[in-house]
Amino acid sequence: MSVSTAKSDITSILKPATRAAWKSARTAALKTVRFSMPREIGLIASVNAALNSNDFKAVQAFAFFLRESPLSDDEAVRILKDARKIVHDLSSEFADVVEALLSLSWKQRSKKAVRAYTEFSIDVLLAHSSHIHVGVPNLIGNWIPSSLDGCDWIQGSPSEGVRKELEIVHALLNRILTAVPIAMDVVYDATAANFPYFKRPTHVTAGFLHNLLWLIEYKPIFAELLLHLALQKLLILDVHAPPAEIDLDEEADPHIATARSKRSRWVKHPIGRTLDICLMKLYKFLESKCRPAPDSTDEDRCSQNRFFKILLNIFENVLLPSHDTHHVQFVIFYVCSFKKLFAQSFLCMLLQKMQNPKTSAVIRHAAICYMASFLARAKFLPLNTITSYLKKLCRWAHTYIDDSDEECTSNTNIVFFSVCHAVFYLIAFRAQDLTASSKNLRFLQSLQLSRLVLCRFNPLRYCLPPVATAFAAVTRAHQLAHCYTVLEQNTSHKLAIVYRHDEALPEKTLDTFFPFDPYSLKLSNKFIKPNYLVYKVYELKDPIESAVSQSSKKSSTGTSLGFNT
C-alpha cells in the first residue's frame, strides 16, 4: 500500500465522506448537545436566572433553541404559555428571546397553537411597547407571497387555503391595532419597507397589494396613507411599462398575441402584467368604496364622498406632479365615472390649479393637460360640461391677451399657450358634438376663436401640428377662424429639430401630453372601456378639408398626440 493510499484511508475514517454528511452530523450534534439543555431548563427558569444573577447565557441559549429547533405543536403551546406567565418580566433586556418567540412559524399549526401565539403576542406588546417594532413587521412579512406560490394567487386573489391563513394574520393585526394604538406608525413603516420591488413576480406584488387593501377594510384610518403608498409604487411600475413596450411585446409573437386577445388574457410584458392585475384589484376596491348603490343611505354617501376626497388629494400630490405615466391616472378617471359630483370636483380642482398664479407653471401646465384630456375622453360627461369649460378657458385666454403688453414665448409663460392648445384640441376632438346644431355653432362663435388665433402671441405656433391642422380644418369648415394663413407663415419661419422619440417636431412646441390617451392594459381595461370615448376623424363636407384632416392624423408618425383611437 502506498503512502498516499494509506493517508487517504485515514482521512476517510476521520472525516465524513461528503459535505452533506458532515452537515448532517453537525446538526445532530447541535440538537443533542445544545437543544437538550434549553428544553430541560425551560423559558421561565432561564429568565429567572437572568433576573436573579444577571446571567443571560441560558436565555441566549433558549433563543437559539427557538430559532433552530423544530417544535411540535404541543411544545410550542407549552413554551408560549410559559412566556405569558412571565410576560411582565420580558422587558427590552430580553428582546432576543421575545423576537425568537414572535418569529415562530404559527399560521399552519393547530388551533390551540395559533391561539397561544395570538394571546402571547397581544400580551407582550401591551406590556412592553418596545417589542412592537419586532412583532408588527413580523406580521406584515406574512403578507408577502413566496415566489413559488404563484398557483395560490390567481389574478391577485388568494386560494381558499391561503385566504384562511391570512385571515388569522389580519385578525391578530386588528386586535393589536385596537389594543395598542401607537402601533399604527409601525404598521405603516413596515408596509412601506416590505412593499415588493417592482421586478418581483406578478403574484408577489399583487398579493401584497391585496393585503394592503384588506387592512384598509377593517382600519379605514389607514386609507389615505396606504392608498398614497400604493399609488406611488404603482407609478414605478407604470413608468417601467410604457405602452410602446407593451405593444412591442404583443407584436413580437403574433400567434401568442392573437390567442391571448381572443381569450382576453393579460399582456405579455412582465411589469405591464403586474400593473394590469394590480390596477384591476384597485378598481374593484375603489368601486366598493365610492360607487353609489340604489339603496345607499346618507351615511354611505358621506363615506363615499369622504373617500373620493382622499383620492382627489392623493391625485393632487402624487399623480399630478408625476411625469411619463400612462395608466395609473385612470384611477381618477374611473372613479369620476361613478358620480357627476366627482367629475365636477375633479375638473374644479384642475381649474383652480390652472388659475392660481402662485402655483408653479409646470403644475398649471399639467392641470390643463389633464383637463383637456379628461373633457375629450370622458364619455360620461354631458356636452354642457364641455362647453362650460371651453368658455372658462377662452375667457381666461382673452383676459390674458387684454392684460399683457409684452410678447411672450413658451418659456416665459407656458400657461397661456397651454390653455390655447387645450381649446384647439378640445374643439378638434369633440367637433362632431360641438358642431351638431346651430345652437352649438353659435356657442363656438361666441368664443371669439379668431381673436385667439390672430393675436400677437400667435398660439398656433406652439401647437402640435396634428392638433393645429385638425383645429384649422374644423374652424374653416364652419367659418369660425382663419388659421391656414397663420400656419403657413409659421411654417416658413420654423426649422425642424429632433425632439424626444427621434421625431422632427417644430422648434417651438409645447411639451404637451395627453394623460388619458388609449389604455394598453387588457384585464383592467374592462373598467375603463365603457366610459372611454374613442376619437373619430371629423367628417367634413369639403373633400379638400377632409384630406387635410386625414393627413393631420397621419402626421403623428405613430406617436401619441391625443388623436389616436
Side-chain angles (χ1 to χ4, degrees):
M1 178 185 297
S2 66
V3 175
S4 60
T5 305
K7 185 177 180 180
S8 176
D9 290 343
I10 292 170
T11 303
S12 65
I13 293 171
L14 294 176
K15 289 185 177 181
T18 64
R19 184 175 179 83
W22 178 84
K23 191 173 182 180
S24 177
R26 178 179 178 277
T27 302
L30 283 172
K31 287 182 179 179
T32 55
V33 177
R34 300 198 62 174
F35 294 163
S36 58
M37 288 188 64
R39 272 197 175 98
E40 292 171 3
I41 297 175
L43 176 62
I44 295 177
S46 300
V47 171
N48 286 334
L51 291 172
N52 297 329
S53 58
N54 202 31
D55 182 3
F56 284 84
K57 291 180 181 178
V59 172
Q60 292 170 355
F62 200 88
F64 181 81
F65 157 69
L66 290 174
R67 291 191 180 97
E68 300 293 332
S69 178
L71 300 178
S72 67
D73 286 358
D74 291 339
E75 193 171 15
V77 170
R78 178 176 58 79
I79 292 171
L80 288 166
K81 284 185 175 180
D82 286 347
R84 287 191 70 195
K85 293 176 183 177
I86 57 170
V87 70
H88 291 287
D89 294 327
L90 298 177
S91 61
S92 57
E93 293 178 312
F94 298 95
D96 197 32
V97 74
V98 171
E99 182 177 352
L101 287 165
L102 293 173
S103 300
L104 289 173
S105 60
W106 59 283
K107 293 184 298 180
Q108 297 178 343
R109 292 187 180 273
S110 65
K111 290 183 179 180
K112 187 180 289 187
V114 169
R115 190 181 308 113
Y117 180 90
T118 301
E119 297 305 327
F120 167 72
S121 297
I122 294 171
D123 285 355
V124 75
L125 297 185
L126 270 173
H128 308 284
S129 59
S130 60
H131 298 313
I132 290 174
H133 295 278
V134 174
V136 168
N138 273 345
L139 283 178
I140 302 297
N142 288 288
W143 289 5
I144 308 173
S146 165
S147 296
L148 303 176
D149 291 344
C151 58
D152 289 324
W153 289 88
I154 306 301
Q155 294 187 8
S157 297
S159 63
E160 185 62 21
V162 173
R163 187 188 63 79
K164 288 181 178 179
E165 290 181 12
L166 290 171
E167 274 184 350
I168 299 170
V169 173
H170 282 282
L172 175 54
L173 186 58
N174 190 16
R175 290 183 63 183
I176 290 173
L177 288 169
T178 302
V180 193
I182 61 173
M184 289 184 178
D185 290 339
V186 182
V187 168
Y188 174 77
D189 292 340
T191 304
N194 281 282
F195 207 102
Y197 182 58
F198 75 93
K199 289 186 178 180
R200 292 291 300 275
T202 295
H203 74 275
V204 175
T205 304
F208 193 88
L209 180 64
H210 176 89
N211 284 287
L212 182 150
L213 298 176
W214 193 342
L215 173 57
I216 297 175
E217 289 283 2
Y218 58 85
K219 288 296 180 187
I221 194 173
F222 282 107
E224 185 163 7
L225 283 174
L226 293 185
L227 284 176
H228 189 284
L229 173 65
L231 286 170
Q232 282 183 322
K233 299 299 183 179
L234 293 184
L235 279 176
I236 297 173
L237 291 172
D238 201 2
V239 170
H240 288 87
E245 287 186 17
I246 292 174
D247 295 340
L248 187 64
D249 282 348
E250 296 301 309
E251 293 170 3
D253 190 339
H255 299 293
I256 293 177
T258 302
R260 286 185 173 179
S261 62
K262 288 180 180 178
R263 298 194 303 267
S264 297
R265 298 295 299 275
W266 47 80
V267 296
K268 189 178 178 183
H269 192 283
I271 299 176
R273 186 188 315 132
T274 302
L275 179 64
D276 196 7
I277 291 177
C278 287
L279 282 176
M280 181 179 67
K281 293 192 69 65
L282 190 56
Y283 291 151
K284 289 180 180 177
F285 174 80
L286 293 173
E287 184 171 12
S288 70
K289 295 297 179 185
C290 298
R291 185 184 286 278
D295 56 347
S296 293
T297 63
D298 290 341
E299 185 178 353
D300 292 335
R301 284 187 283 272
C302 287
S303 176
Q304 292 156 6
N305 293 341
R306 185 165 57 249
F307 211 92
F308 176 75
K309 287 180 181 178
I310 289 174
L311 189 62
L312 192 61
N313 184 55
I314 295 172
F315 171 86
E316 186 176 348
N317 292 290
V318 178
L319 297 179
L320 185 60
S322 298
H323 179 66
D324 205 25
T325 62
H326 312 282
H327 302 95
V328 175
Q329 58 263 33
F330 277 89
V331 167
I332 195 75
F333 184 95
Y334 179 59
V335 175
C336 283
S337 69
F338 296 163
K339 199 173 180 180
K340 186 178 178 181
L341 177 63
F342 294 166
Q344 289 174 343
S345 299
F346 177 57
L347 287 168
C348 184
M349 182 272 292
L350 294 174
L351 185 67
Q352 288 173 354
K353 287 284 182 186
M354 182 270 286
Q355 293 175 332
N356 186 358
K358 295 182 180 179
T359 303
S360 71
V362 173
I363 296 299
R364 296 173 76 185
H365 172 63
I368 296 164
C369 291
Y370 267 98
M371 189 190 308
S373 191
F374 184 74
L375 290 167
R377 294 289 188 176
K379 191 185 292 185
F380 49 85
L381 289 178
L383 186 61
N384 62 356
T385 298
I386 297 166
T387 56
S388 172
Y389 277 86
L390 267 175
K391 188 174 181 179
K392 291 174 183 177
L393 290 171
C394 286
R395 185 187 300 132
W396 186 94
H398 286 303
T399 302
Y400 179 87
I401 294 171
D402 293 336
D403 295 344
S404 299
D405 296 327
E406 300 178 2
E407 182 178 354
C408 61
T409 66
S410 59
N411 294 328
T412 57
N413 198 328
I414 194 176
V415 180
F416 172 74
F417 296 108
S418 299
V419 169
C420 292
H421 190 278
V423 170
F424 301 159
Y425 169 68
L426 263 177
I427 291 174
F429 196 103
R430 300 298 291 254
Q432 298 283 4
D433 298 320
L434 292 171
T435 60
S437 67
S438 57
K439 179 182 177 181
N440 293 344
L441 285 172
R442 285 195 299 272
F443 164 74
L444 290 178
Q445 290 169 353
S446 70
L447 298 179
Q448 295 180 281
L449 298 174
S450 285
R451 186 167 186 255
L452 294 182
V453 170
L454 300 174
C455 74
R456 62 189 179 280
F457 301 131
N458 192 3
L460 281 176
R461 179 175 55 181
Y462 300 95
C463 278
L464 294 170
V467 174
T469 311
F471 171 73
V474 173
T475 53
R476 179 175 178 177
H478 298 284
Q479 299 296 305
L480 298 170
H482 300 286
C483 303
Y484 285 114
T485 302
V486 178
L487 291 177
E488 290 170 2
Q489 291 173 352
N490 291 339
T491 302
S492 65
H493 290 87
K494 290 179 181 177
L495 296 174
I497 63 173
V498 177
Y499 268 56
R500 294 179 308 162
H501 312 300
D502 297 327
E503 287 180 3
L505 291 179
E507 182 182 2
K508 296 179 179 179
T509 304
L510 289 175
D511 187 16
T512 303
F513 65 102
F514 302 92
F516 301 115
D517 257 5
Y519 198 82
S520 300
L521 305 177
K522 292 186 177 179
L523 283 174
S524 53
N525 190 36
K526 66 182 180 182
F527 296 92
I528 305 302
K529 189 175 180 179
N531 301 304
Y532 189 79
L533 187 64
V534 175
Y535 175 66
K536 295 180 181 179
V537 178
Y538 181 50
E539 296 181 0
L540 298 165
K541 295 180 181 180
D542 186 341
I544 297 177
E545 296 294 341
S546 298
V548 171
S549 181
Q550 289 286 354
S551 67
S552 71
K553 183 173 183 286
K554 293 179 182 178
S555 67
S556 64
T557 62
T559 303
S560 169
L561 293 177
F563 288 113
N564 41 354
T565 57

